[in-house]
Amino acid sequence: MKSPHTISVVIPIYNERSAVPGVIQQIDRFLEAHFADHEIIVVESGSTDGTGEACDALPALLPGVRVVHEGARRGFGSAVRSGVALATKRWVWPLVVDMPFALDVILEALPHMETGQAVMSYRSADPRSLYRRCQSMVFNALGRMLLGIRARHINSAFKVTDTALMQSLDLQSSGWLLDAELIMRLDQRGIRYAEIPVRLVDRNTGRSTIGPMAAVKAFRDLVRLAISRRRGSSVDEGGPR
């Protein structure tokens, strides 16, 4: 039985030609099987490997897909914000094409979507290297200390949010800090969110476009966001996806 919820999936894409259209078709089939209504908003950010052209071919195959071109690589957060601004369904769910978790995690979130406005996640299993796990541990500790965030894993990938709420938050982050800013804004408004366990899985398609300086920029931007929080202002940060 399909869920009566309607959902907008926002997919930021940069240089992922090998993942298009296979991954988008997989996501569309899953949504069609489980939700009353859905849309997929693909935000392509100035790819140089033919990804843009591959994305433009998607609506002919999948009528529920819309493609937006940013024209330049402005960061993960920028792409997500662009897609969220166009979302028309009840819930908005950002996804990335490397699929770091199983799609059916959203089914585990459904009971919480009946009673709340947002569902976050924490990693119940993490197959990444010790170095990457340590990075996340430090980032989460700093996020809780500097931003007052209560979430267990700030940058755990699965997040689904009431669309009207997310559009009202006036998020500013352009890079990977968007996750931290989202949770910080929810906490500031006193919005309660559920947290569900998610098993992180290894990337099985394409290649990562995260540069070696991404962690340094993430920590730098976290400090900037903390400063802006204390001043009551917004932050605009960048960094590659």
Side-chain angles (χ1 to χ4, degrees), residues 2-16:
K2 292 185 180 182
S3 167
H5 289 290
T6 65
I7 193 163
S8 299
V9 170
V10 174
I11 305 177
I13 289 184
Y14 174 78
N15 280 1
E16 294 279 5

Side-chain angles (χ1 to χ4, degrees), residues 77 103 218:
L103 289 173

Side-chain angles (χ1 to χ4, degrees), residues 117 150 183-193:
Q117 292 180 278
R150 303 188 308 269
I183 297 173
M184 184 188 79
R185 301 299 181 200
L186 293 177
D187 285 345
Q188 286 177 328
R189 288 200 185 184
I191 304 294
R192 298 183 65 85
Y193 47 83

Side-chain angles (χ1 to χ4, degrees), residues 15-140:
N15 280 1
E16 294 279 5
R17 176 63 184 85
S18 63
V20 180
V23 171
I24 310 301
Q25 290 177 316
Q26 178 186 354
I27 294 169
D28 184 74
R29 287 194 300 267
F30 176 87
L31 296 172
E32 178 64 29
H34 294 287
F35 289 90
D37 189 21
H38 73 277
E39 64 183 354
I40 297 174
I41 303 170
V42 175
V43 184
E44 188 279 317
S45 303
S47 300
T48 59
D49 67 344
T51 295
E53 293 79 359
C55 290
D56 286 336
L58 288 172
L61 298 172
L62 307 168
V65 173
R66 282 191 285 166
V67 177
V68 179
H69 296 282
E70 284 194 299
R73 190 182 183 190
R74 299 190 176 99
F76 170 79
S78 174
V80 170
R81 289 190 292 109
S82 296
V84 168
L86 298 173
T88 64
K89 308 304 180 184
R90 171 70 170 78
W91 295 89
V92 63
W93 181 21
L95 282 176
V96 289
V97 294
D98 60 325
M99 306 282 277
F101 53 82
L103 289 173
D104 58 10
V105 169
I106 189 72
L107 305 181
E108 299 175 28
L110 286 174
H112 303 288
M113 293 161 64
E114 296 289 344
T115 57
Q117 292 180 278
V119 183
M120 305 294 152
S121 64
Y122 61 91
R123 301 185 186 101
S124 61
D126 190 344
R128 297 176 303 169
S129 68
L130 177 60
Y131 175 69
R132 290 291 304 280
R133 295 199 303 271
C134 287
Q135 278 185 330
S136 290
M137 182 178 65
V138 173
F139 183 83
N140 278 281

